Amino acid sequence: MKQKIVIIGGVAAGPKITAKLLRTKDFDCQIDLYTEENLISYSSCGLPYYIEGLIPDSNRLIVRRPEQFEEQGANIHLNKRCTKILPEEHKIIIQDTITGETQEVEYDKLAITTGARPIIPSIKGINLKNIFSIRTLQDGINIRQKMLESKKAVILGGGYIGIELLEAFHANNIFTTMIEREDHILSLLDPEISDLVKEEILAIAKDNVDIITSDAITAFEGTDKVEKVITKSGKVIETDMVIIAAGIRPNTEIAAEAGIELGVSNAIRVNNRMQTCTKDIYAAGDCTENFHLVSKNYAWIPLGSTANKEGRCAAINMAGQYDAFPGVLGSAVTRFRNLTISLTGLTETEAKKFGFDVICATMTKKDKAGYMPDAANITIKLVVDKRFKKILGAQAFGGGNADKRVNTVASAIQAEQTLDEFLHLDMTYAPPFSTAVDPLISAALIINNKIYKN
Amino acid sequence: MKQKIVIIGGVAAGPKITAKLLRTKDFDCQIDLYTEENLISYSSCGLPYYIEGLIPDSNRLIVRRPEQFEEQGANIHLNKRCTKILPEEHKIIIQDTITGETQEVEYDKLAITTGARPIIPSIKGINLKNIFSIRTLQDGINIRQKMLESKKAVILGGGYIGIELLEAFHANNIFTTMIEREDHILSLLDPEISDLVKEEILAIAKDNVDIITSDAITAFEGTDKVEKVITKSGKVIETDMVIIAAGIRPNTEIAAEAGIELGVSNAIRVNNRMQTCTKDIYAAGDCTENFHLVSKNYAWIPLGSTANKEGRCAAINMAGQYDAFPGVLGSAVTRFRNLTISLTGLTETEAKKFGFDVICATMTKKDKAGYMPDAANITIKLVVDKRFKKILGAQAFGGGNADKRVNTVASAIQAEQTLDEFLHLDMTYAPPFSTAVDPLISAALIINNKIYKN
């Protein structure tokens, strides 16, 4: 008998589950995916680069169209919002976002892949025109359209998305002020690394970028459209548009109402098979919490790469086979123009918070042989557990594929390599690619020399 | 009492030992380094890029000058060749390469870092003018000088150095014919990967590059200067110059004569503390053999990055402290223009030779989100042990920092990660840097699906 698989949410994890189930042999199922949007399977991570103008057509961000899934036998229901989950009855309630009509849908197995949404702070004047948040493809189109007729912009929030939008606006020669409530932008980094990154950004873009930290927006002013931003410290910033990039929160209200257990940051608690605490209900992607492989605690680290892995894992288990997703390291990367900023594992701040006795080294070195014409600086901070000499984390910025070097550390962290093992790692070397002693090894050697004083 | 440390050889491992010993606290020693060359501590790996014209001044390839070591208290003896090692007497014989005078030098501990030299095949006409081999800085200067007045060149050998010289000549618009005796260039790669790489090179450079395989040079012809190259198959190739890049061999004759045990390819046998089988004699760098961490066999894989690690290890142990160098993975990288070619661990061919039951996947994918304007293809071949699911090796070429991705696999191989562990690796993702499912993970998933048929 065909199993009825129902999926709610259509950006990343939902389509991944669908695709994987369609490829799974020996599992007879009917797949129905419901989304409140009018398209599915698009790269929301690509929106800043569409806004920047690097991608001429927003449709290129669409990974797969509903028709492609339909042809393979899945049913894709657009403009249908799930309003209620009834776990006991194995049913959900779906509402058509256009007609308002509701219907009941039965499931044998349900996957919640509802993702996350921007946090919209309740600031006076927030409903003025030309104040945008960014989540859907349409948001990206609206922002780009407005940007092209703007001279000044304000970005609220100095996280990854804020930085990526800053690049987009800078590249389009819009004078842009970033306002971050905390002392530091990119607060996932250690504070001194964040300071160095901020310096680098301003060095690249000082002509048309201003970064204000430790200040908050208290009001948006204007008649009809936003014209001014007022901050707590008393600054008045004239602007043509505002982007709210003040963080995201998981879309888990309907899960919570149905009694499905939530965890960190109200993300859905799942085990390593992507099962929620409620029978026959799975969850994957940005709406779920993650097990952190270094801290051994749960965290909420919503990322597209993780959504894909979790989607695959959920599909395999929903099909009655076995797969386990071990957890995450929090590996991430962003950029501002040529400046790559990347991290994996725990920062020094986090490691201390979790009680590790840490030893760190931060080192700046050329990313390739110094005599090569395109040699650039890369700065690497390694965080090591002093007692067991395990590598806990790495942060890197600059040239030299900072992200790929961070991946090499990620692999070592996941394998619980010690510092001594890591500093003997046989990495590729040729003058256009690295130094004879790779920057990663240099950073490891500094810590080693600190520990053994040799 | 000061220990007398004597080092013979001055390119990479020798200077590294010197530098590390100078930094070692609580070890009182006199350091004497002898080299037959007139300089020390230069990047021979950089020579192709000097020849290409990317490095305006050959002096930039010099890492450290003798004076820098002398100021720190080491004695650097240029133009002094070691002609004999007398292990019983703890002495070596040194000959001045200019005056011919000899002297005896006593040591408490000796380090042999004599490196390797090009193999010069005994071909008729090999002594004609404008036939070069490449090892020293002066060789590089001579080749560049001749190249600038040439229109046609022949490179004998299709290994790394051959490919790097091919780039140099191609970039200078010299019509260049590469002649490789084996069926494949870059014979360290699996044959089908080598074929793909050759295709890519010819696609980039078809106007002025010809690659001939399975053919050998039988004679060089010309009056005084080389004018023609004759091959076994009967080809007659007109040329203004020839570079011999037909491999290298370790400089270990004096070690062998002194009864020091040699291993694979006549490289010096050392343990993981860089001790030879002869008391108080250490060796490091290109003249030593290496323990291969995957095959668990000895191999000779001479590389600058390994020379640095071995030099450090030798210095620590010579100073009476403890360090162990576990071995190598054979990680390497080269390039032809924008085409990066990299590998680590065992190829399929090698793995089978060592008796592994292997399963492989080769996959080509965009190196970053397909909608990014600079997305390029990267091809990855992963080699996995079928029984224990251990990753044995990776080959990669194309864009997308093929070398850095190979390093991530290197880290996993060194840590003896299984395929299942590796395919859950939390790698950084953002559209300008990767795909949501990184190409490495995709390659791993293909093998996983082959094994588990899901």
Side-chain angles (χ1 to χ4, degrees):
Chain A
M1 213 186 66
K2 266 188 201 270
Q3 284 225 32
K4 289 167 81 79
I5 301 285
V6 172
I7 299 162
I8 48 177
V11 180
K16 181 73 187 191
I17 292 175
T18 309
K20 181 69 186 165
L21 282 174
L22 288 170
R23 278 199 304 271
T24 301
K25 292 162 199 144
D26 308 323
F27 179 61
D28 197 20
C29 65
Q30 175 191 321
I31 305 171
D32 287 272
L33 184 149
Y34 296 87
T35 174
E36 59 187 3
E37 297 187 49
N38 61 2
L39 79 171
I40 58 159
S41 190
Y42 60 91
S43 170
S44 53
C45 315
L47 291 172
Y49 306 101
Y50 166 72
I51 294 169
E52 181 167 343
L54 295 176
I55 305 156
D57 178 0
S58 65
N59 286 323
R60 293 218 55 204
L61 295 180
I62 298 171
V63 182
R64 286 205 196 198
R65 305 193 160 276
E67 305 86 78
Q68 291 172 273
F69 282 114
E70 299 263 359
E71 277 165 25
Q72 293 176 63
N75 307 310
I76 308 295
H77 309 269
L78 304 178
N79 306 309
K80 305 272 189 190
R81 179 187 298 136
C82 174
T83 57
K84 210 175 187 68
I85 301 167
L86 304 162
E88 300 273 318
E89 300 166 51
H90 277 53
K91 276 183 193 167
I92 61 171
I93 311 290
I94 291 293
Q95 183 175 40
D96 189 300
T97 58
I98 299 162
T99 65
E101 277 171 34
T102 60
Q103 66 181 115
E104 279 189 4
V105 174
E106 289 184 0
Y107 66 81
D108 291 314
K109 294 214 168 82
L110 175 70
I112 305 174
T113 56
T114 44
R117 65 177 187 278
I119 296 171
I120 309 295
S122 52
I123 297 170
K124 196 182 152 199
I126 190 83
N127 292 320
L128 285 168
K129 274 195 186 159
N130 301 335
I131 299 179
F132 301 87
S133 63
I134 178 165
R135 189 176 70 97
T136 65
L137 204 59
Q138 193 56 49
D139 293 335
I141 293 168
N142 297 344
I143 292 170
R144 175 161 171 83
Q145 209 162 21
K146 182 62 202 164
M147 181 194 72
L148 290 175
E149 55 193 45
S150 294
K151 288 194 172 134
K152 293 176 190 164
V154 167
I155 296 171
L156 168 53
Y160 287 115
I161 297 170
I163 295 293
E164 288 162 7
L165 290 167
L166 193 66
E167 169 179 312
F169 282 68
H170 163 70
N172 282 275
N173 215 14
I174 315 292
F175 188 93
T176 308
T177 306
M178 168 174 277
I179 302 174
E180 166 61 51
R181 194 184 191 99
E182 305 291 323
D183 327 353
H184 291 90
I185 58 165
L186 291 170
S187 59
L188 287 176
L189 301 172
D190 278 322
E192 85 284 5
I193 300 295
S194 168
D195 283 340
L196 293 169
V197 166
K198 184 178 155 189
E199 267 173 42
E200 296 268 342
I201 292 174
L202 292 175
I204 295 168
K206 55 184 173 300
D207 291 344
N208 65 4
V209 162
D210 190 16
I211 299 177
I212 298 169
T213 51
S214 309
D215 202 358
I217 297 177
T218 49
F220 300 108
E221 290 185 355
T223 52
D224 184 33
K225 298 171 188 171
V226 66
E227 288 162 21
K228 285 177 194 167
V229 167
I230 315 295
T231 76
K232 202 173 176 183
S233 73
K235 288 195 179 74
V236 179
I237 301 156
E238 292 189 7
T239 192
D240 300 317
M241 64 189 298
V242 172
I243 319 284
I244 307 290
I248 59 174
R249 65 162 52 111
N251 288 321
T252 54
E253 285 81 355
I254 56 158
E257 280 166 25
I260 296 166
E261 190 177 335
L262 303 188
V264 177
S265 305
N266 285 327
I268 298 170
R269 175 143 293 175
V270 285
N271 65 11
N272 64 357
R273 300 183 68 187
M274 310 316 295
Q275 293 169 313
T276 70
C277 302
T278 303
K279 190 167 186 297
D280 293 329
I281 301 184
Y282 293 73
D286 288 0
C287 63
T288 64
E289 65 172 6
N290 312 97
F291 182 70
H292 195 292
L293 293 167
V294 186
S295 73
K296 311 290 184 196
N297 278 256
Y298 287 89
W300 185 52
I301 307 176
L303 286 167
S305 44
T306 304
N308 267 282
K309 292 196 190 79
E310 291 179 341
R312 174 178 174 275
C313 176
I316 293 172
N317 289 304
M318 289 172 87
Q321 299 175 16
Y322 179 84
D323 193 57
F325 178 66
V328 301
L329 301 168
S331 304
V333 57
T334 190
R335 77 170 191 193
F336 182 83
R337 312 292 290 193
N338 287 329
L339 177 71
T340 300
I341 308 145
S342 186
L343 85 163
T344 188
L346 301 181
T347 59
E348 181 179 2
T349 316
E350 288 170 325
K352 284 179 174 167
K353 196 183 78 187
F354 284 112
F356 289 99
D357 184 12
V358 298
I359 182 162
C360 302
T362 302
M363 187 224 43
T364 301
K365 188 176 173 175
K366 290 292 176 219
D367 65 332
K368 52 182 76 76
Y371 50 74
M372 293 302 288
D374 56 346
N377 280 337
I378 179 169
T379 299
I380 293 169
K381 178 171 182 175
L382 269 188
V383 181
V384 169
D385 169 53
K386 210 168 171 175
R387 194 183 309 172
F388 301 107
K389 315 287 184 296
K390 290 273 164 77
I391 303 171
L392 301 175
Q395 296 157 75
F397 67 87
N401 312 307
D403 60 311
K404 301 292 179 299
R405 282 188 159 101
V406 157
N407 283 340
T408 300
V409 185
S411 180
I413 295 174
Q414 177 171 300
E416 304 201 16
Q417 290 278 79
T418 62
L419 183 71
D420 190 64
E421 288 163 338
F422 186 69
L423 62 80
H424 288 115
L425 178 59
D426 189 3
M427 294 173 75
T428 58
Y429 162 65
F433 299 97
S434 180
T435 46
V437 180
D438 191 88
L440 285 177
I441 306 290
S442 297
L445 284 171
I446 292 172
I447 299 185
N448 186 78
N449 292 349
K450 278 190 194 182
I451 295 175
Y452 298 103
K453 309 204 191 315
N454 67 11
Chain B
M1 213 186 67
K2 265 186 200 273
Q3 284 225 33
K4 289 166 82 81
I5 301 285
V6 172
I7 299 162
I8 49 177
V11 180
K16 181 73 185 191
I17 292 174
T18 310
K20 181 70 186 166
L21 282 174
L22 288 170
R23 279 199 304 271
T24 302
K25 292 161 198 144
D26 310 323
F27 180 61
D28 197 19
C29 65
Q30 176 192 318
I31 305 171
D32 287 272
L33 184 150
Y34 295 87
T35 174
E36 60 187 3
E37 295 187 50
N38 61 0
L39 78 170
I40 58 160
S41 189
Y42 61 90
S43 169
S44 54
C45 314
L47 291 171
Y49 306 101
Y50 166 73
I51 294 168
E52 181 166 344
L54 295 176
I55 305 156
D57 179 0
S58 65
N59 286 321
R60 294 217 54 206
L61 295 179
I62 300 171
V63 182
R64 286 206 196 197
R65 304 194 160 275
E67 306 85 79
Q68 290 171 273
F69 282 114
E70 299 263 357
E71 275 164 27
Q72 292 176 62
N75 307 310
I76 307 296
H77 308 271
L78 304 178
N79 306 308
K80 304 273 189 189
R81 179 186 299 135
C82 174
T83 56
K84 209 173 187 68
I85 300 167
L86 303 163
E88 300 272 319
E89 299 166 51
H90 277 54
K91 276 181 194 168
I92 62 169
I93 311 289
I94 291 293
Q95 183 174 41
D96 189 300
T97 58
I98 300 164
T99 65
E101 277 171 34
T102 60
Q103 67 181 113
E104 279 188 7
V105 174
E106 289 185 359
Y107 67 80
D108 291 315
K109 294 212 167 86
L110 175 69
I112 304 174
T113 57
T114 43
R117 65 176 186 278
I119 295 171
I120 309 296
S122 51
I123 297 171
K124 195 181 152 199
I126 189 84
N127 292 319
L128 285 169
K129 275 194 187 160
N130 301 336
I131 299 179
F132 301 87
S133 64
I134 179 166
R135 187 174 73 96
T136 66
L137 204 57
Q138 193 57 48
D139 293 334
I141 293 168
N142 297 344
I143 291 170
R144 175 159 171 83
Q145 211 163 19
K146 182 63 202 165
M147 180 194 74
L148 290 176
E149 55 193 46
S150 294
K151 288 192 171 137
K152 293 177 191 164
V154 166
I155 296 172
L156 168 53
Y160 287 116
I161 297 171
I163 295 292
E164 288 162 6
L165 290 168
L166 193 67
E167 169 180 311
F169 282 67
H170 163 70
N172 282 275
N173 215 13
I174 315 292
F175 188 93
T176 308
T177 307
M178 169 176 275
I179 302 174
E180 166 61 49
R181 195 184 192 98
E182 306 290 323
D183 327 351
H184 291 89
I185 59 165
L186 291 170
S187 57
L188 287 176
L189 302 171
D190 278 324
E192 84 284 5
I193 300 294
S194 168
D195 283 341
L196 294 169
V197 166
K198 183 178 155 189
E199 266 174 41
E200 296 270 341
I201 291 174
L202 291 174
I204 295 168
K206 55 184 172 302
D207 291 343
N208 64 4
V209 161
D210 190 17
I211 299 177
I212 298 170
T213 51
S214 308
D215 202 358
I217 296 177
T218 50
F220 299 109
E221 289 185 357
T223 53
D224 185 33
K225 299 171 189 171
V226 66
E227 288 162 20
K228 285 177 195 167
V229 168
I230 316 295
T231 76
K232 200 171 175 183
S233 74
K235 287 195 180 72
V236 179
I237 301 156
E238 291 190 9
T239 192
D240 300 317
M241 64 190 298
V242 172
I243 319 283
I244 308 291
I248 60 174
R249 65 162 53 110
N251 288 322
T252 54
E253 286 80 356
I254 56 160
E257 280 166 25
I260 296 167
E261 190 177 334
L262 303 186
V264 176
S265 306
N266 284 327
I268 298 170
R269 176 143 292 174
V270 285
N271 65 11
N272 64 356
R273 299 183 70 187
M274 309 317 295
Q275 294 169 313
T276 69
C277 302
T278 303
K279 190 166 187 295
D280 293 327
I281 300 183
Y282 294 73
D286 288 1
C287 63
T288 64
E289 66 173 4
N290 312 97
F291 182 71
H292 196 292
L293 292 166
V294 185
S295 74
K296 311 290 184 196
N297 278 256
Y298 286 88
W300 185 53
I301 307 176
L303 287 167
S305 44
T306 305
N308 266 281
K309 292 197 190 79
E310 291 179 341
R312 175 179 174 274
C313 176
I316 293 172
N317 289 305
M318 290 173 87
Q321 298 174 18
Y322 179 84
D323 193 56
F325 178 66
V328 302
L329 300 168
S331 303
V333 57
T334 190
R335 77 169 190 193
F336 183 83
R337 313 293 291 197
N338 288 330
L339 177 71
T340 300
I341 308 144
S342 186
L343 85 163
T344 188
L346 301 180
T347 59
E348 181 179 2
T349 316
E350 288 170 325
K352 285 179 173 165
K353 196 184 77 186
F354 285 111
F356 289 98
D357 184 12
V358 299
I359 181 162
C360 302
T362 302
M363 186 222 44
T364 300
K365 187 175 173 176
K366 290 290 177 220
D367 65 332
K368 52 181 77 73
Y371 50 75
M372 294 301 289
D374 56 347
N377 279 337
I378 180 169
T379 298
I380 293 169
K381 177 171 182 174
L382 269 188
V383 181
V384 169
D385 169 54
K386 209 167 173 176
R387 193 181 311 172
F388 301 106
K389 314 286 184 295
K390 290 274 164 79
I391 303 171
L392 301 175
Q395 297 157 75
F397 67 88
N401 312 307
D403 61 311
K404 301 292 179 298
R405 283 188 158 103
V406 157
N407 283 340
T408 299
V409 185
S411 182
I413 295 174
Q414 177 171 302
E416 303 200 15
Q417 290 278 82
T418 63
L419 183 72
D420 190 64
E421 287 162 338
F422 186 70
L423 63 80
H424 288 114
L425 178 59
D426 188 3
M427 295 174 75
T428 58
Y429 162 64
F433 299 97
S434 181
T435 45
V437 180
D438 190 89
L440 285 178
I441 307 291
S442 297
L445 285 170
I446 292 172
I447 299 185
N448 186 78
N449 293 349
K450 279 190 193 181
I451 295 175
Y452 298 103
K453 309 203 192 314
N454 69 9

